[in-house]
Amino acid sequence: MTKGAYIINQLSDKPPQRKSKERLWAVLISCSVAAFGPFSFGYCMGYSSAAVTQLGNPNRTDVLLDKNGIRLFGSILNIGAMIGGPLGGWVIDFFGRKLALMITALPFSAGWLMIGFGSNEVLLHAGRFLSGLGVGMASLIVPNYISETSPGRLRGAFGAFNQIGIVVGILSSYIIGHALSWRWSAIAGVGPPACMFVLMFFMPETARWLLAHLKEERAYKTLRWLRGKYAEIENEIVEIKDSLNIKEKMSIKEFTKPSFLRPFMISMTLHFFQQSTGINAVMFYCATIFENAGFQDNSTMVSILIGIIQLVAAVVSILLIDRGGRRFLLLIGGVGMCVSCFSMGFYFFVTINSVPDTEIAYGGPDISWVAVTSIAVYIVGFAMAWGPCTWLIMSEIFPVKAKGVASGIATFFNWFCSFLVTLSFDVLIDGLTIAGTFWFFGSLAFLAVLFVYFYVPETKGKSLEEIQMYFEGEEQEGKDLDEISVTETKL
């Protein structure tokens, strides 16, 4: 794009014209197939909630795990994901986004088969590690595939498919875990990655990766199929080429430049707060939390109800993420998570921690509804905001040349934080009490809200090229992202 065309577009009072003959069904199909990745991700996350209650009960399993074994079973998934994140970053750059998703199906399937047919604790943990490898790869690859496939004006809505896939996977694992044994639940987990492997064969590679690897003819065919036979895709092709020509190669020196360092630090900090506010600890131990809250006989059914609430919240995010924006959802969701963590801490303080180290039981009115309501509000805030927006912003703010490396580091850091939170959850409860642990998570949620308010720019309605131009030129021009506008092919 020429400098003159850019200036004229900025001075124009007319909004960009929407193209006729839009084709969204092709994007919908591509994103839906890719969503089998986060579905498998979510199934892994929710599986341990019901499985550990069986694996720790000698009357319900032939492979008994003690307390340390159960803790490792929950946390080793994160170790695999820490490795899977950087591995996925290398795979998407070398093999492409499409083939990378097909490769991701392999560790998922192998891991579930090892758990389903494992005869000892070592095989169960090894299978859980392989599943984690797939989780780490999928958590990086899918958001990037969706963001590069979707039209800019609907990238947020399609990006929410990632979170919907996760919550549907979690809900499915709760339902199947309630109906089947832990072995059959694991075997059922092979289905989604197998479907993804087969169906992705018929899906397109992203135009950005193809153009970055000088495969222009295939890039034109990809955009023609995605955008429609009569859509004007030339402008989108030109914008992608321009963004690729800014810097042809990614080097370690890029990390010292403010134009790259700022989006990198924004993404890393969002990942930190996404995990440090306790979401994976809540999901891994959802059934246990409700048992402690007094739902010993129906803890798994309550988890299913929470899964349904989570799904509804993720669907709502589709409607809001491209209207209210990413910042708005992160702020609202963060406030909800903060309040719910403090109220959850209040519940456990009143019912458990107010009389520590004694056998005196709480004798006041039944306030167990506080536990259910607080967890529900927390999960709504996360599923509607911090779940989808953290991964979506990561896929938006890194330039194409840096996506593999930067996204790999950010994903590793995300799962490293998840590993620490999951492994230390019981330790925090022992040291701070369960009430203090939730107050700690609530305090971090409050800091997350402050960070978003002061440092995270709004990216809704902007093309990936516009966002890259903002970070490339902000030091020289001092512009906000809302002030930058680049002609974009909008269907």
Side-chain angles (χ1 to χ4, degrees), residues 367-447:
I367 58 171
S368 58
W369 58 271
V370 174
V372 178
T373 304
S374 299
I375 291 294
V377 172
Y378 179 94
I379 291 180
V380 166
F382 186 89
M384 187 175 65
W386 283 85
C389 291
T390 300
W391 296 107
L392 176 61
I393 290 174
M394 181 193 76
S395 70
E396 291 178 323
I397 63 178
F398 293 140
V400 174
K401 67 180 183 298
K403 277 194 173 182
V405 175
S407 297
I409 295 173
T411 304
F412 168 85
F413 183 67
N414 180 287
W415 288 105
F416 176 72
C417 293
S418 174
F419 171 73
L420 291 182
V421 172
T422 303
L423 195 63
S424 63
F425 187 61
D426 290 338
V427 176
L428 286 173
I429 290 176
D430 292 338
L432 301 177
T433 73
I434 191 169
T437 298
F438 277 98
W439 288 336
F440 174 70
F441 290 150
S443 300
L444 289 173
F446 177 73
L447 293 178

Side-chain angles (χ1 to χ4, degrees), residues 170 328 422:
I170 292 173
F328 172 77
T422 303

Side-chain angles (χ1 to χ4, degrees), residues 68-343:
N68 290 330
I70 289 175
R71 183 180 297 175
L72 180 60
F73 188 80
S75 61
I76 199 171
L77 180 85
N78 299 280
I79 299 176
M82 281 190 280
I83 299 173
L87 178 61
W90 176 77
V91 170
I92 64 170
D93 280 345
F94 190 81
F95 292 105
R97 283 57 164 156
K98 171 184 174 178
L99 187 57
L101 277 172
M102 298 176 70
I103 293 173
T104 301
L106 302 180
F108 271 130
S109 300
W112 285 123
L113 289 174
M114 289 184 71
I115 295 173
F117 294 100
S119 58
N120 55 60
E121 183 175 342
V122 173
L123 288 176
L124 265 60
H125 289 149
R128 191 72 170 158
F129 172 82
L130 286 176
S131 297
L133 199 68
V135 166
M137 294 176 69
S139 61
L140 180 146
I141 297 168
V142 174
N144 281 293
Y145 180 85
I146 291 177
S147 71
E148 294 184 10
T149 300
S150 309
R153 66 187 179 88
L154 294 174
R155 191 174 58 250
F158 282 112
F161 277 41
N162 184 61
Q163 183 65 18
I164 287 180
I166 293 173
V167 299
V168 171
I170 292 173
L171 177 60
S172 298
S173 70
Y174 287 163
I175 294 173
I176 294 175
H178 179 70
L180 302 176
S181 69
W182 62 270
R183 285 193 183 277
W184 283 108
S185 296
I187 294 172
V190 178
C195 290
M196 180 176 67
F197 181 86
V198 174
L199 295 177
M200 277 305 300
F201 181 80
F202 303 99
M203 297 299 105
E205 180 56 80
T206 70
R208 283 174 178 80
W209 186 85
L210 292 171
L211 289 171
H213 289 76
L214 306 179
K215 299 180 180 181
E216 188 167 332
E217 183 178 352
R218 284 185 60 191
Y220 269 95
K221 290 180 179 179
T222 291
L223 283 180
R224 184 65 65 196
W225 185 77
L226 289 171
R227 306 294 186 250
K229 183 177 181 181
Y230 302 105
E232 297 180 13
I233 62 174
E234 289 74 16
N235 285 342
E236 188 170 355
I237 291 288
V238 170
E239 288 176 14
I240 296 173
K241 286 183 176 179
D242 288 345
S243 69
L244 293 173
N245 289 334
I246 294 176
K247 299 283 184 183
E248 293 185 358
K249 295 183 179 180
M250 174 67 185
S251 66
I252 193 66
K253 293 182 179 179
E254 295 293 316
F255 286 89
T256 64
K257 297 180 179 180
S259 60
F260 177 81
L261 187 59
R262 187 188 174 197
F264 181 73
M265 294 309 298
I266 287 174
S267 180
M268 294 286 281
T269 307
L270 289 176
H271 280 297
F272 168 75
F273 282 125
Q274 186 198 59
Q275 295 300 330
S276 65
T277 49
I279 180 60
N280 282 340
V282 172
M283 299 311 301
F284 281 136
Y285 299 101
C286 192
T288 304
I289 288 173
F290 283 109
E291 286 181 2
N292 291 337
F295 295 88
Q296 290 88 349
D297 297 330
N298 297 296
S299 58
T300 304
M301 288 301 297
V302 174
S303 298
I304 293 174
L305 176 61
I306 292 297
I308 295 173
I309 296 173
Q310 194 175 22
L311 175 59
V312 173
V315 172
V316 171
S317 72
I318 292 181
L319 304 176
L320 297 179
I321 200 167
D322 280 323
R323 297 183 182 182
R326 287 67 156 151
R327 272 174 53 89
F328 172 77
L329 286 181
L330 287 172
L331 291 171
I332 296 299
V335 170
M337 292 161 61
C338 176
V339 173
S340 63
C341 280
F342 275 102
S343 61

